């Protein structure tokens, strides 16, 4: 009997370790030969810990399971039980998805390279090894892949720039410093299918002529860092990394580096400074990292999800990936649904699904049962969208057209009890705390912004134009997205939810 209990950090937080221990103890007590597999999470957090049992018909799911449920599950032969959910693949939340990047997450043992390969792994790398660098870049360009970390910059263009640069050493850097509130896709991928990220980075190295890579993770992700470190060692021992990648004579070496947890190090140039052992502050651009990046050499800097999408693109072809999505937003996007929702978790689908479909149909509305008031999309620097925006297709240009950001595709839902003035204050306070201090609009602007919001909260309506003017200064004058995007949540709260500010004005009058 093969039983799966996730080792994902979210599942662990909900009791997966106790469930796994109970399964092992119960099997031993009954003298049953059980193979316990610690897989990644399927992404249905409200069902964690999700226990699965392999059967001839497919995997059967039970959840959320507690250690106290395990004995009864064995008594029923993993059949009729109150926690039984049927075939895992038929659970509606999972069945509706288009899983390309996350196809193996929750399915395989994350640290089994043989299982990885049996489920399509290494096909993209093997194809890449038969192609010229220009052809690899062309496939990625044709796929329409854009930066999944938030910037949305076309990946193919970035790779082409690094490929064309002349230098004795080039680098591939993975930005795994996932610091946005309401986002967890990078962590889930690293914990549930680390070889996908490794394969994507090796392909990137082949494409641009880089022989060294670094994964820059965060200290708050101990589980992801543990799995990733083990996967790198396994990959190196198997010839996936090293001086002779899969016997091709091509070299690519990879290291995991863990940052100290500064939010600003999610910005690529601050990240590069941190990797070099310097203070994590933003660099002025130009020069761009593609020409002068890590240690002054041409560097590809991509997010986890961007690099993890590459193996599927090479294996199936750029056109197949581009067949998903709308407009200039091609492929799939792993949505991270959080906040006040009934069904929170990761949902991978093609671009184009509307915001209303995500919140009402997929997330099931609010957990509180109260009406939705606002949805913040794109992390703590993303805009707040009202219910009137529920017709908005989830795509880069479409969100930008309404003053929003797709960002890292994290969605945090709030019901009608939320105070949007407090949300605006939080955005500015967050920026003030996390600013690297390099530029004045961000360093000083965020602090003054908190003060101005407090004046408004005290009934000073005359301070609202000052807040708007301050946000414009931060938006246009900041060196990086931290200061430049902080105005999005502030101005969207002020624009779409004026009553939360007007009540205070009226009280003052």
């Amino acid at each position: 009997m093969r039983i799966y209990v996730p080792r994902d950090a979210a599942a662990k937080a909900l009791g997966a370790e106790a469930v796994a221990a109970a399964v092992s103890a119960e099997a031993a007590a009954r003298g049953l030969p059980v193979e316990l597999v610690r897989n990644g999470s399927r992404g249905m957090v409200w069902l964690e810990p999700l226990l699965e049992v392999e059967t001839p018909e497919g995997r059967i799911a039970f959840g959320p399971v507690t250690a106290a449920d395990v004995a009864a599950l064995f008594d029923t032969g993993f059949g009729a039980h109150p926690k039984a959910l049927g075939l895992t693949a038929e659970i509606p939340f999972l069945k509706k998805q288009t899983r390309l990047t996350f196809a193996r997450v929750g399915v395989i043992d994350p640290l089994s390279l043989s299982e990885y390969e049996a489920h399509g792994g290494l096909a993209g790398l093997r194809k890449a090894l038969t192609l010229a660098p220009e052809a690899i870049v062309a496939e990625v360009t044709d796929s329409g892949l854009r930066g999944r970390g938030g910037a949305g910059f076309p990946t193919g263009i970035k790779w082409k720039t690094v490929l064309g640069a002349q230098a004795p050493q080039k680098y591939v850097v993975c930005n795994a410093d996932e610091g946005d509130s309401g986002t967890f896709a990078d962590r889930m991928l690293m914990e549930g299918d680390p070889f996908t990220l490794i394969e994507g980075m090796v392909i990137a190295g082949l494409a641009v002529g880089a022989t060294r890579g670094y994964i820059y993770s965060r200290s708050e992700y101990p589980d992801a860092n543990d799995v990733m470190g083990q996967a790198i060692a396994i990959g190196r021992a198997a010839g996936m990394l090293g001086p002779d990648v899969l016997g091709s004579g091509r070299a690519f070496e990879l290291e995991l580096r863990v940052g100290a947890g500064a939010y600003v190090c999610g910005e690529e140039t601050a990240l590069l400074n941190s990797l070099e052992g310097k203070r994590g502050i933003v660099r002025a651009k130009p020069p761009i990292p593609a020409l002068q990046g890590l240690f002054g050499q041409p560097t590809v800097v991509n997010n986890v999800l961007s690099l993890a999408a590459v193996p599927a693109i090479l294996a199936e072809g750029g056109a197949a990936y581009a067949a998903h999505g709308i407009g200039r937003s091609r492929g799939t996007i792993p949505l991270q649904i959080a906040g006040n929702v009934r069904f929170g978790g990761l949902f991978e689908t093609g671009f184009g699904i509307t915001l209303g479909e995500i919140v009402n149909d997929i997330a099931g509305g609010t957990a509180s049962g109260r009406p939705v008031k606002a949805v913040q999309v794109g992390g703590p620097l993303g805009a707040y969208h009202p219910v009137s925006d529920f017709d908005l297709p989830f795509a880069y240009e479409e969100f930008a057209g309404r003053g929003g950001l797709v960002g890292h595709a994290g969605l945090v839902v709030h019901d009608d009890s939320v105070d949007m003035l407090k949300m605006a204050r939080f955005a500015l306070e967050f920026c003030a705390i996390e600013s690297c201090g390099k530029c004045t609009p961000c360093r000083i602007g965020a602090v003054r912004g908190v003060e101005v919001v407090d004046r408004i909260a005290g009934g000073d309506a005359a301070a609202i134009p000052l807040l708007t003017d301050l946000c414009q200064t931060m938006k246009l004058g900041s060196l990086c997205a931290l200061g430049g995007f902080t105005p999005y949540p502030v101005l969207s709260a002020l624009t779409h939810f004026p009553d939360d500010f007007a009540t205070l004005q009226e009280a003052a009058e």
Side-chain angles (χ1 to χ4, degrees), residues 422-447:
K422 289 182 178 178
M423 293 295 99
R425 187 187 191 282
F426 170 78
L428 289 161
E429 185 181 27
F430 179 86
C431 181
I433 293 169
E434 296 292 347
S435 174
C436 75
K438 180 70 176 284
C439 68
T440 303
C442 177
R443 182 183 70 250
I444 302 299
V447 176

Side-chain angles (χ1 to χ4, degrees), residues 40-242:
S41 173
R42 296 280 195 162
M44 299 176 286
V45 179
W46 76 98
L47 293 176
E48 293 291 4
L50 183 75
L51 183 150
E52 297 178 74
V53 179
E54 202 168 80
T55 73
E57 293 76 33
R59 277 157 66 166
I60 304 295
F62 300 84
V65 174
T66 67
D69 295 321
V70 172
L73 288 171
F74 274 90
D75 288 341
T76 63
F78 294 91
H81 187 278
K83 299 290 181 74
L85 301 167
L87 290 168
T88 310
E90 294 300 314
I91 297 174
F93 187 90
L94 200 56
K95 191 175 183 180
K96 292 176 184 177
Q97 298 187 43
T98 302
R99 287 210 161 190
L100 299 181
T101 304
F102 280 75
R104 286 175 291 267
V105 176
V107 176
I108 66 170
D109 177 346
L111 293 174
S112 172
L113 191 53
S114 60
E115 281 195 36
Y116 177 70
E117 192 166 4
H119 286 79
L122 299 183
L125 177 54
R126 288 200 168 94
K127 181 178 177 182
L129 287 168
T130 69
L131 300 174
E134 293 79 7
I136 301 173
V137 173
E139 287 286 5
V140 174
T141 303
D142 292 346
S143 75
L145 179 66
R146 294 167 67 173
R148 297 287 188 258
F153 188 82
T155 305
I157 293 177
K158 183 179 288 189
W159 286 19
K160 185 176 182 181
T161 303
V162 179
L163 172 61
Q166 299 300 312
Q169 178 67 59
K170 299 179 184 179
Y171 297 98
V172 176
V173 172
C174 172
N175 184 348
D177 191 38
E178 183 177 52
D180 285 351
S181 50
T183 60
F184 42 86
D186 292 358
R187 176 193 60 73
M188 277 186 61
L189 193 286
M190 290 192 290
E191 291 178 13
D193 190 15
F195 293 118
T196 293
L197 176 56
I198 294 172
E199 183 177 356
M201 293 187 70
V202 178
I203 293 171
L206 296 172
V208 303
T211 57
R212 293 197 67 83
Y214 295 91
I215 298 171
Y216 185 90
S217 185
R218 55 197 294 106
S219 59
E220 295 90 339
Y221 279 177
D223 292 280
N225 296 335
D226 176 56
V227 174
M228 205 71 237
Q230 291 186 62
I232 290 172
I234 292 167
R236 187 179 294 117
M240 188 179 178
L241 294 167

Side-chain angles (χ1 to χ4, degrees), residues 382-386 402-403 420 487-498:
Y384 287 100
H385 293 270
R402 296 222 193 151
M420 296 309 297
Y488 279 75
V490 179
L491 294 177
S492 61
L494 187 59
T495 300
H496 297 303
F497 308 100

Side-chain angles (χ1 to χ4, degrees), residues 72 91 123 133 170 175 250 253 258 264 271 277 297 308 314 316 327 333 376 415 449 470 483 486 495 501:
I91 297 174
K170 299 179 184 179
N175 184 348
R250 311 283 291 279
E253 191 49 83
V258 179
V264 76
L271 182 157
Q297 302 303 310
L314 266 292
E316 303 297 330
I333 182 73
Q376 187 175 31
D415 71 14
L470 179 63
T486 294
T495 300
F501 297 80

